[in-house]
Amino acid sequence: MEQDIDLFLSIAEMAGVFVAFGALISVARDRTDQDPLQLRGVIGVVMIGLVVLVAALLPVALARYGLTGRALWGWSSGGFLLLIWVAISRLLLDPEHGEWMKGDARSHPAITVFFWIFLEAPIQIPLALAILGVAPALAPAFYVTALVLYLLEAAFVLARLVFSRAPRAGR
């Protein structure tokens, strides 16, 4: 676990950068621009960044309570998965965001499929494997895989936000 502490702290620092970028974009955003993708993107970047930040610190904190091995990675993975579903539920239960997600999925089906199938599922599957105790020796790798992919998901959402703000021809 000692070797992982530096990695987790570095990932938490990177997640903090995404939270900061999201907050900065939110503050700097032109108040007359009411593009829902912009606002939803900022919310997504900040939420994903916060989940990664907490998830990166979770095993470090639990290890301080003496958890090791399967218990450490099972509880950490359970906490991480819970954080993900709280964030997803929070967004889905917001009627305005839910409507935006439906419209965005219709407008950008390839991006939606990529997001849910190639980012979100590969994040949650390793966490479920760690919780279930499948290949216990790989549990730390499963956790790191989920953290890194979730960080990449934050980068994906941030890139989508930035590129959606790029001036379009004829505008």
Side-chain angles (χ1 to χ4, degrees):
M1 180 62 190
E2 288 298 318
Q3 68 196 23
D4 293 330
I5 289 175
D6 288 337
L7 173 65
F8 291 140
L9 293 176
S10 293
I11 289 173
E13 289 169 356
M14 287 184 261
V17 169
F18 284 102
V19 173
F21 273 135
L24 181 62
I25 290 168
S26 177
V27 169
R29 188 171 65 93
D30 181 7
R31 298 291 179 210
T32 62
D33 182 9
Q34 297 300 318
D35 185 356
L37 179 59
Q38 310 260 322
L39 180 59
R40 298 301 167 200
V42 169
I43 292 169
V45 169
V46 171
M47 193 160 303
I48 293 169
L50 288 171
V51 169
V52 171
L53 192 144
V54 172
L57 297 175
L58 192 56
V60 176
L62 291 176
R64 299 302 282 170
Y65 285 96
L67 291 178
T68 60
R70 180 163 169 7
L72 174 65
W73 299 111
W75 281 103
S76 296
S77 295
F80 190 177
L81 202 53
L82 179 65
L83 288 169
I84 290 170
W85 277 101
V86 165
I88 290 172
S89 297
R90 165 66 180 89
L91 294 175
L92 291 176
L93 291 175
D94 175 15
E96 201 173 287
H97 193 88
E99 285 302 312
W100 172 81
M101 284 181 68
K102 288 177 195 171
D104 187 59
R106 282 189 294 273
S107 300
H108 305 98
I111 290 173
T112 301
V113 168
F114 177 81
F115 181 87
W116 289 105
I117 303 298
F118 296 106
L119 286 174
E120 196 60 43
I123 290 165
Q124 295 186 31
I125 291 169
L127 294 173
L129 293 174
I131 292 167
L132 296 172
V134 175
L138 293 177
F142 290 155
Y143 198 84
V144 169
T145 298
L147 268 176
V148 169
L149 287 173
Y150 215 51
L151 201 57
L152 290 173
E153 189 173 283
F156 174 79
V157 173
L158 181 61
R160 188 164 179 224
L161 173 65
V162 168
F163 290 123
S164 74
R165 292 179 57 95
R168 296 184 185 117
R171 249 179 125 173

